[in-house]
């Protein structure tokens, strides 16, 4: 990430920043995700240790709520060695995360140490900070990326009579300090490398960094086991022009004042699926409102409403539920997508039917919750 990039400079998550995310709106969001990981841990036969690895934790709200679930389920998890690993490029946001998760009790490391900060959560779990996923130790891990992939840079392409051409950003010769989009006169290396041969769209956005990350996650899950949960706004390979900017909660021209606005593009889940290269199974994308419903959000809301003392809190709970679930708000455009080892969904040898086998446990969230 360039030093003059948005996240290393401004990084405006939170109410005073450029955007507010689901975990910042409602504690229920992170709690249900925490339950999802515990459910996968149980389905895997309760391994003796796991790492929770979050990519781009923002203000740290999501991990904070997940840690509360781990604490509430302490008797279940008591023999499990849990550690938290945060991948964050923004020095400013890493400090916000440290404050949120440890109360500021952290130690910084020498500059060349891949673990640049360490601390212990308020609930007693070790937390380490990294700039790159490759520095996170290998081992059985749960990965989490919420509103992370949409923040990574994209390439834009357009189909022409002469074949695919990359859409580039250039300085406008007529207007000083004004950027403009131009079509590359000939094929660029990106055109050759990033367009799928079977592509049918006229315009496409490709995020090669997302592809590389998914390859790394798929390798790790194939080798060490675990699960990855990716939640973001996006589509399954159908949309074309989604690149846009936000500043102070308002739409912002992507070509104006570079480095000062949050630039984003919808996540193309079909591309992520392709980039697993079959190393893992995938589930989804499924709409956020369906995932959260399957995870039992309605029941959780009822409990919180019953436990809340005043009508202002109840109103806030209902409003944030509506924000997360309403198809016109975040319910439909946000999606959940999971990477799982193949053996989680199918037996390695399907032909051998001689041995009676316990049925595979369904993956929570991606189907209706069965309360058996
Ligand atoms: N997940 C959080 C915030 C998402 S904002 C939430 O749901 O509230 C995107 C986050 O990704 C920020 O923390 C940003 O600093 C971080 N980020 C952006 N690019 C990154 C990169 N290349 N590597 C690691 N973190 C990155």
């Amino acid at each position: 990430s360039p030093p003059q990039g948005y996240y290393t400079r401004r990084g405006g998550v939170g109410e005073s920043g450029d955007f507010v995310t689901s975990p910042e709106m409602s504690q229920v969001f992170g709690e249900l995700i925490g339950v999802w990981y515990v459910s996968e841990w149980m389905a895997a036969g309760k391994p003796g240790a796991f790492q929770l690895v979050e990519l781009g934790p923002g203000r740290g709200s999501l991990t904070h709520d997940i840690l509360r679930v781990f604490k509430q389920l302490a008797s279940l998890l008591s023999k499990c060695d849990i550690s938290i690993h945060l991948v964050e490029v923004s020095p400013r946001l890493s400090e916000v995360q440290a404050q949120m998760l440890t109360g500021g009790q952290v130690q910084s490391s020498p500059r060349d140490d891949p673990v640049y900060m360490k601390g212990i959560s308020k609930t007693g779990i070790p937390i380490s900070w990294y700039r790159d996923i490759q520095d996170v130790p290998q081992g059985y891990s749960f990965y989490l990326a919420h509103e992370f992939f949409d923040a990574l840079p994209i390439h834009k392409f357009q189909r022409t009579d002469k074949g695919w051409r990359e859409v580039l950003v250039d300085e406008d010769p007529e207007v000083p300090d004004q950027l403009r989009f131009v079509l590359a006169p000939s094929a660029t290396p990106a055109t050759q490398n990033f367009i799928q041969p079977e592509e049918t769209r006229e315009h496409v956005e490709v995020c090669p960094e997302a592809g590389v990350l998914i390859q790394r996650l798929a390798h790790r899950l194939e080798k060490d086991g675990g699960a990855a949960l990716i939640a973001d706004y996006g589509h399954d390979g159908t949309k074309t022009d989604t690149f846009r900017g936000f500043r102070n909660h308002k739409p912002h021209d992507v070509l104006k004042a570079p480095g000062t606005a949050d630039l984003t593009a919808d996540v193309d889940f079909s591309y992520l699926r392709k980039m697993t290269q079959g190393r893992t199974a995938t589930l989804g994308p499924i709409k956020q409102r369906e995932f959260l419903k399957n995870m039992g959000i309605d029941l959780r809301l009822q409990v919180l409403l019953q436990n809340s003392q005043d009508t202002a809190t109840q109103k806030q709970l209902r409003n944030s539920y509506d924000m997360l679930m309403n198809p016109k708000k975040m319910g439909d455009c946000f999606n959940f997508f999971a990477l799982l080892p193949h053996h989680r969904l199918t037996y390695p040898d399907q032909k051998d039917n001689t041995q009676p086998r316990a049925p595979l446990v369904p993956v929570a969230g991606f189907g209706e919750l069965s309360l058996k």
Side-chain angles (χ1 to χ4, degrees), residues 233-298:
Y233 39 85
H235 57 89
D236 209 4
T238 52
K239 289 199 183 171
T240 55
D241 296 282
T242 71
F243 182 47
R244 58 201 184 277
F246 289 97
R247 192 172 172 179
N248 302 323
H249 303 272
K250 291 202 189 76
H252 179 90
D253 184 342
V254 293
L255 297 177
K256 291 240 161 74
T260 67
D262 168 41
L263 301 186
T264 178
D266 276 18
V267 174
D268 182 345
F269 291 103
S270 73
Y271 177 67
L272 302 193
R273 193 183 296 111
K274 247 173 225 136
M275 296 315 276
T276 64
Q277 298 168 315
R279 288 181 198 284
T280 63
T282 61
L283 286 177
I286 177 175
K287 287 174 180 151
Q288 170 160 306
R289 69 183 160 90
E290 287 167 11
F291 179 87
L292 295 177
K293 188 146 247 162
N294 291 339
M295 289 303 300
I297 191 171
D298 292 324

Side-chain angles (χ1 to χ4, degrees), residues 1 7-8 11 13 19-24 29 54-62 87-90 93 97 130-132 145-148 150-152 209 213:
S1 186
Y7 280 107
T8 44
V13 197
F19 57 100
V20 180
T21 63
S22 296
E24 289 164 1
F29 188 81
E54 187 178 2
L55 308 178
R59 302 178 63 84
S61 328
L62 203 40
V87 181
E88 177 56 77
V89 286
S90 156
L93 283 175
Q97 293 151 18
Y130 314 77
R131 288 181 193 87
D132 195 305
H146 177 254
E147 286 213 45
F148 172 74
D150 71 88
L152 301 178
E209 250 182 75
L213 258 162

Side-chain angles (χ1 to χ4, degrees), residues 84-104:
I84 305 290
H85 304 263
L86 305 178
V87 181
E88 177 56 77
V89 286
S90 156
R92 200 180 63 74
L93 283 175
S94 69
E95 271 168 39
V96 177
Q97 293 151 18
Q99 193 59 44
M100 167 82 88
L101 299 169
T102 72

Side-chain angles (χ1 to χ4, degrees), residues 152-369:
L152 301 178
I154 53 147
H155 286 264
K156 280 168 76 70
F157 301 96
Q158 205 166 303
R159 197 193 289 274
T160 72
D161 301 343
K162 299 186 212 90
W164 284 99
R165 290 290 180 267
E166 190 168 5
V167 180
L168 300 170
V169 175
D170 180 18
E171 275 175 42
D172 193 329
E174 327 258 89
V175 193
D177 295 326
Q178 174 64 55
L179 298 174
R180 57 170 191 173
F181 284 120
V182 291
L183 215 51
S186 53
T188 53
T191 327
Q192 268 126 37
N193 293 322
F194 302 142
I195 305 271
Q196 307 290 328
E198 65 275 19
E199 185 57 65
T200 56
R201 285 168 283 184
E202 296 294 307
H203 295 185
V204 254
E205 296 165 338
V206 183
C207 179
E209 250 182 75
V212 170
L213 258 162
I214 287 292
Q215 283 181 5
R216 296 213 164 110
L217 289 182
H219 264 284
R220 281 170 171 252
L221 292 172
E222 185 183 37
K223 189 164 162 284
D224 302 318
L229 197 57
I230 296 164
D232 224 309
Y233 39 85
H235 57 89
D236 209 4
T238 52
K239 289 199 183 171
T240 55
D241 296 282
T242 71
F243 182 47
R244 58 201 184 277
F246 289 97
R247 192 172 172 179
N248 302 323
H249 303 272
K250 291 202 189 76
H252 179 90
D253 184 342
V254 293
L255 297 177
K256 291 240 161 74
T260 67
D262 168 41
L263 301 186
T264 178
D266 276 18
V267 174
D268 182 345
F269 291 103
S270 73
Y271 177 67
L272 302 193
R273 193 183 296 111
K274 247 173 225 136
M275 296 315 276
T276 64
Q277 298 168 315
R279 288 181 198 284
T280 63
T282 61
L283 286 177
I286 177 175
K287 287 174 180 151
Q288 170 160 306
R289 69 183 160 90
E290 287 167 11
F291 179 87
L292 295 177
K293 188 146 247 162
N294 291 339
M295 289 303 300
I297 191 171
D298 292 324
L299 202 60
R300 184 70 187 128
L301 175 72
Q302 288 316 316
V303 171
L304 288 174
L305 285 173
Q306 274 159 25
N307 292 347
S308 62
Q309 306 298 326
D310 54 296
T311 49
T313 309
Q314 293 182 338
K315 192 163 172 240
Q316 197 273 329
L317 284 168
R318 286 211 175 82
N319 283 348
S320 55
Y321 174 94
D322 183 61
M323 199 66 182
L324 294 178
M325 299 292 285
N326 190 327
K328 294 203 184 80
K329 295 176 182 169
M330 300 169 102
D332 268 7
C333 56
F334 275 80
N335 289 274
F336 278 75
F337 182 75
L339 264 52
L340 295 156
H342 284 294
H343 62 75
R344 177 68 182 85
L345 299 178
T346 43
Y347 287 114
D349 182 6
Q350 296 262 312
K351 278 177 231 125
D352 177 17
N353 290 327
T354 53
Q355 300 287 316
R357 284 161 158 167
L360 289 159
V361 184
V363 178
F366 291 87
E368 244 169 82
L369 193 68

